[in-house]
Amino acid sequence: LPVRIDTAAVRAQASAAGEVPAMLRALIRTPARRAARPGATLKDRLGSLPEQERTALVLNTVREQVAIVLGHHGPDDVSAGHVFRDMGFDSLTAVDLRNRLNTVTGLRLPATLVFDYPTPEVLAAFVVAELSGTSPSITPPTAVTGTDEPIAIVSMACRFPGGADSPEAFWRMLLAGDDAMSGFPEDRDWDLTALLDTERTGVDMAVGGFLPGVADFDAAFFGISPREALAMDPQQRQLLELAWEVIERAGIDPTSLRGSQTGVFTGTTGQDYGMLMSAEAEKVADYLTTGNAASIMSGRVAYTFGFEGPALTVDTACSSSLVAMHYAAQSLRRGECSLAVAGGVTVMATPGAFVAFGRQQGLAADGRCKSFAASADGTGMS
């Protein structure tokens, strides 16, 4: 709906209070100010400085304003390479910083400033370019040229049942012919007695493939509060940790990819964690939607790492990860991204899949798939 701001009332209120609220300063038309003395503006000061000193001056200015907005003692408390989101910026403080920088620079900067230029260092470089007239208001992502080169898989990371937490461990498991299937997990609060009521659920074999320690998550590492982490589907948590791991295994600093045309392609086949959170709705209601939506699975990774390529979640059941890889390869060949993080994730937060297949008598008697074999008698869940 359109919103009308009574600027006269705001001006009167601000006059009585002695100060215009930060969020409303851009809405108030003030009388034209007397022109500044030649050489008094930040732009004029930059004109007489070498390039390195210009950047240093603007960076210090940005850090000063960040310190004011966040309540720090001074610019020394603000790291030039620290991400604004991790400093505690939200939509309100982001606009406050934009307004303050508009005042000190004389520019008309976008409200999305701290999201488009996510560190003081990157933001300062943008402001220098704007003051020098060498860049557009928003620098568009660098176009990537399509190619017919073979797709190179430069890194892998994984977590599988049986403790295979790396490609090397998974390969050793395959070579040894180890069986990663186990009894139902005891750390997911499943009512095992009720679940194994065969007449009601159809489940007569407590066997499946389960990731150990799915509740473990280093939320602070990713700047996520404990409350939001509780609302997040464990599948999102696994993706964040493995995305960081797979980039590191490629010999790349994950933070160096912020702002790059990196794509995220994620395969999924169900989100049942939200059912568990219904009992905790009052505690985590603010985060339930973003914490459990399939579309957010790829978007969460892209946002956290600052990727600016495509972000796509696909659900084609058992082939989801393969289809995600296919779309990643297509996107690379079309030049839509220069690097892709692709794969899939499945965490059974509830025993719903077992019950659904059990009632249809679709579970294998021994809990194991025997695809294309004469002995095939149903599916195993993992």
Side-chain angles (χ1 to χ4, degrees), residues 153-245:
I153 297 176
V154 298
S155 180
M156 293 186 290
C158 62
R159 291 175 185 167
F160 289 119
D165 57 0
S166 69
E168 294 81 6
F170 183 51
W171 183 242
R172 288 193 296 269
M173 177 183 290
L174 294 176
L175 289 178
D178 290 342
D179 189 347
M181 303 296 271
S182 66
F184 284 167
E186 297 181 356
D187 62 351
R188 304 191 189 186
D189 201 27
W190 292 4
D191 186 343
L192 300 184
T193 301
L195 180 57
L196 292 172
D197 180 355
T198 305
E199 292 187 3
R200 187 174 63 85
T201 66
V203 179
D204 58 3
M205 179 63 69
V207 175
F210 303 98
L211 285 179
V214 291
D216 299 337
F217 178 56
D218 192 351
F221 182 83
F222 294 101
I224 296 172
S225 69
R227 185 161 168 257
E228 182 173 8
L230 177 63
M232 283 175 59
D233 188 329
Q235 295 178 129
Q236 290 189 22
R237 306 177 205 166
Q238 294 285 325
L239 284 174
L240 284 177
E241 292 186 342
L242 282 170
W244 185 281
E245 184 178 324

Side-chain angles (χ1 to χ4, degrees), residues 35-357:
R37 300 190 311 275
T41 66
L42 181 60
K43 183 175 182 179
D44 289 331
R45 291 169 63 193
L46 292 180
S48 60
L49 294 175
E51 181 178 353
Q52 186 173 0
E53 293 184 24
R54 289 202 299 267
T55 301
L57 174 60
V58 174
L59 177 57
N60 190 63
T61 300
V62 169
R63 292 169 65 197
E64 285 178 346
Q65 299 307 312
V66 170
I68 292 172
V69 171
L70 296 181
H72 292 304
H73 292 297
D76 291 341
D77 294 330
V78 178
S79 171
H82 205 174
V83 178
F84 288 123
R85 177 181 60 83
D86 294 340
M87 293 183 193
F89 270 90
D90 56 22
S91 298
L92 295 178
T93 48
V95 174
D96 188 8
L97 177 62
R98 186 281 305 264
N99 291 342
R100 290 178 181 276
L101 289 175
N102 278 349
T103 300
V104 299
T105 64
L107 297 171
R108 292 180 61 85
L109 300 168
T112 57
L113 193 67
V114 303
F115 304 105
D116 296 327
Y117 306 94
T119 69
E121 190 173 38
V122 173
L123 176 53
F126 169 70
V127 172
V128 169
E130 287 292 289
L131 290 171
S132 304
T134 58
S135 73
S137 297
I138 294 291
T139 304
T142 303
V144 181
T145 304
T147 178
D148 291 329
E149 291 184 18
I151 301 300
I153 297 176
V154 298
S155 180
M156 293 186 290
C158 62
R159 291 175 185 167
F160 289 119
D165 57 0
S166 69
E168 294 81 6
F170 183 51
W171 183 242
R172 288 193 296 269
M173 177 183 290
L174 294 176
L175 289 178
D178 290 342
D179 189 347
M181 303 296 271
S182 66
F184 284 167
E186 297 181 356
D187 62 351
R188 304 191 189 186
D189 201 27
W190 292 4
D191 186 343
L192 300 184
T193 301
L195 180 57
L196 292 172
D197 180 355
T198 305
E199 292 187 3
R200 187 174 63 85
T201 66
V203 179
D204 58 3
M205 179 63 69
V207 175
F210 303 98
L211 285 179
V214 291
D216 299 337
F217 178 56
D218 192 351
F221 182 83
F222 294 101
I224 296 172
S225 69
R227 185 161 168 257
E228 182 173 8
L230 177 63
M232 283 175 59
D233 188 329
Q235 295 178 129
Q236 290 189 22
R237 306 177 205 166
Q238 294 285 325
L239 284 174
L240 284 177
E241 292 186 342
L242 282 170
W244 185 281
E245 184 178 324
V246 77
I247 295 169
E248 277 196 331
R249 286 176 62 93
I252 301 172
D253 176 0
T255 62
S256 70
L257 295 178
R258 184 169 294 278
S260 68
Q261 290 299 101
T262 299
V264 182
F265 301 84
T266 301
T268 182
T269 184
Q271 291 73 46
D272 56 359
Y273 184 70
M275 297 167 59
L276 297 180
M277 287 294 97
S278 59
E280 305 289 338
E282 292 186 5
K283 297 181 181 179
V284 297
D286 296 346
Y287 302 108
L288 277 179
T289 299
T290 53
N292 292 273
S295 59
I296 300 297
M297 294 174 70
S298 55
R300 171 88 67 177
V301 174
Y303 176 76
T304 300
F305 288 81
F307 300 153
E308 296 185 6
L312 178 69
T313 305
V314 296
D315 182 354
T316 57
C318 299
S319 62
S320 297
S321 298
L322 182 62
V323 174
M325 291 280 287
H326 170 69
Y327 281 137
Q330 281 192 334
S331 185
L332 287 165
R333 289 197 171 101
R334 290 172 178 167
E336 297 169 347
C337 59
S338 56
L339 181 70
V341 177
V345 61
T346 297
V347 174
M348 292 180 287
T350 73
F354 288 94
V355 175
F357 276 84

